[in-house]
Amino acid sequence: MKRATDPTLVPRARQLAKGLLRTPMRERWQHTQGVAKRAVELAGTVPAADRPVLVAAAWLHDIGYSPAIRRTGFHPLDGALHLRRKRWDPRVVALVAHHSGARFVPVERGFADLMAEFAFEESVLTDALTYADQTVGPGGRRMTVEYRIAEAIARHGPDSPNARARVDRVPYLLAVAERVESRLTRK
């Protein structure tokens, strides 16, 4: 099991993400690299012991898009199920499952019971991971949270499960952004 205290946690996470995303999903790999870089920049907003967990989860957050591990078609869940099968640290697994307000989408997709198998953590760590993901768009481009929300709805479509979940998810994402930006100004 890859524990949060394992000094190889981040390099192994990067290697796994690279292996699953780089060739079949170049733009997703670029996004993942940008999110991991952003997580490193945000690491000062989380306790020192959580910094490797943040960066590892940033590398792993979108592996569920990989055709090699796709099971349900809901990437946060597919990534978490794969990591759990591979015996990764349960906290990292849960962060992948619930990144960026993913908990608001499963009801729309019929995966609420499966998602409930992964503990949801509300903390400065989950805020930092969500903010990192929501400030990096496709291809690794930096953007505001508001722009990223609009971009994702346009990309997935106005009738997609992501769009239907926006009533709950968008206020959550904006509140996360406000909390992280406040922490950054106090740093």
Side-chain angles (χ1 to χ4, degrees):
M1 181 176 295
K2 289 102 182 142
R3 291 278 175 205
T5 56
D6 178 354
T8 67
L9 179 68
V10 171
R12 287 180 189 220
R14 181 186 182 281
Q15 185 169 349
L16 177 60
K18 182 179 180 181
L20 289 169
L21 298 174
R22 187 171 120 191
T23 300
M25 310 195 80
R26 184 166 175 73
E27 189 174 62
R28 181 63 47 193
W29 172 238
Q30 292 168 333
H31 165 75
T32 298
Q33 290 175 301
V35 172
K37 180 179 179 184
R38 190 73 172 123
V40 169
E41 295 167 2
L42 297 168
T45 66
V46 303
D50 288 342
R51 291 172 187 165
V53 176
L54 169 62
V55 177
W59 280 113
L60 298 168
H61 81 284
D62 275 355
I63 64 168
Y65 278 113
S66 172
I69 65 169
R70 185 181 172 142
R71 299 273 188 262
T72 68
F74 183 46
H75 82 275
L77 184 56
D78 289 341
L81 290 168
H82 179 77
L83 292 170
R84 184 171 67 184
R85 274 192 309 278
K86 297 295 183 178
R87 302 180 44 84
W88 280 74
D89 181 273
R91 192 170 183 211
V92 172
V93 174
L95 287 166
V96 169
H98 292 290
H99 77 274
S100 291
R103 75 180 191 273
F104 298 113
V105 181
V107 172
E108 292 290 334
R109 303 211 46 185
F111 300 129
D113 290 342
L114 265 176
M115 285 291 283
E117 294 177 17
F118 302 98
F120 174 72
E121 172 184 336
E122 192 155 355
S123 68
V124 296
L125 175 59
T126 59
D127 281 359
L129 177 61
T130 293
Y131 189 78
D133 186 31
Q134 294 301 307
T135 55
V136 177
R141 293 181 305 276
R142 289 282 177 96
M143 55 185 59
T144 65
V145 171
E146 294 82 2
Y147 189 86
R148 176 84 161 122
I149 291 167
E151 177 276 322
I153 290 171
R155 184 169 26 96
H156 292 288
D159 296 323
S160 70
N162 282 353
R164 290 192 308 268
R166 72 180 172 261
V167 168
D168 296 315
R169 189 168 178 246
V170 168
Y172 167 77
L173 295 174
L174 295 174
V176 164
E178 187 176 312
R179 290 191 299 266
V180 172
E181 289 167 2
S182 176
R183 287 181 196 116
L184 287 169
T185 60
R186 290 190 306 241
K187 233 174 84 171

